[in-house]
Amino acid sequence: MKRFINGFSQITTVLTVSVIILSAVFVIPRYFGVVPYIVRSGSMEPVIHTGSVAFINQGDKEVRPGDIVTYRLTGPSGSDTLVTHRVIRVQDGVYTTRGDANETEDLSPVTREQLVGTYVCQIPCAGYLMAYISPRTALAVAVWILLLNGASMAMSWAASP
């Protein structure tokens, strides 16, 4: 029985630490103005992969040609779309952008007001996971981890002499 309790405790510890580290990777950067976004297209391949989570520094809007930026495009229905492309030219405060995988420049020039920030880094494939994690799912995982830890502690106390 002691062997089972030790194994259960180790598994619970690994799961708890994994969830804490994963949460920290997505939460802590926000305090520094770096926000994660899911990459939904391959326009920036091979630099930024579809399904990745790209981290964008919202505080950095000093942009030069060659920088990768995220900006807002407002569609005909009034909804915003975020686009992450490389700046290829800056002229009179207007940015010309293009996706690395695209052959032509973007049709719409980008103004400073549209800029969300500059690209920092990515976590490949993490966007596929993030797309399925709703606040309700995250709460369920947190409760599950708490229950596992509670059960682990209860078993350890019950088994101790």
Side-chain angles (χ1 to χ4, degrees):
M1 182 66 165
K2 200 168 203 167
R3 184 181 234 175
F4 171 78
I5 292 171
N6 286 339
F8 184 80
S9 178
Q10 288 176 351
I11 289 170
T12 301
T13 301
V14 167
L15 287 172
T16 302
V17 169
S18 298
V19 167
I20 289 170
I21 290 171
L22 188 61
S23 297
V25 165
F26 290 101
V27 173
I28 291 173
R30 289 177 184 266
Y31 290 105
F32 300 99
V34 178
V35 179
Y37 292 101
I38 298 172
V39 178
R40 300 185 187 275
S41 79
S43 66
M44 284 301 294
E45 294 277 356
V47 176
I48 305 174
H49 305 289
T50 304
S52 295
V53 171
F55 289 87
I56 306 301
N57 183 352
Q58 293 181 322
D60 184 11
K61 295 191 180 172
E62 295 303 317
V63 179
R64 296 179 307 272
D67 289 348
I68 298 172
V69 298
T70 296
Y71 59 92
R72 290 186 197 290
L73 276 181
T74 303
S77 64
S79 63
D80 282 347
T81 300
L82 294 178
V83 178
T84 301
H85 280 172
R86 188 177 304 277
V87 173
I88 57 172
R89 193 169 43 258
V90 180
Q91 187 174 350
D92 299 326
V94 176
Y95 309 99
T96 303
T97 58
R98 185 184 71 183
D100 286 2
N102 298 342
E103 303 250 341
T104 59
E105 299 174 354
D106 296 336
L107 295 176
S108 300
V110 178
T111 63
R112 186 170 177 83
E113 292 76 33
Q114 291 175 272
L115 287 180
V116 173
T118 58
Y119 168 79
V120 176
C121 64
Q122 70 176 313
I123 301 176
C125 301
Y128 294 121
L129 177 63
M130 270 185 67
Y132 292 107
I133 297 179
S134 66
R136 191 175 187 171
T137 304
L139 179 62
V141 168
V143 169
W144 181 68
I145 292 292
L146 287 173
L147 290 173
L148 282 177
N149 279 290
S152 177
M153 286 189 294
M155 286 191 294
S156 293
W157 289 333
S160 62

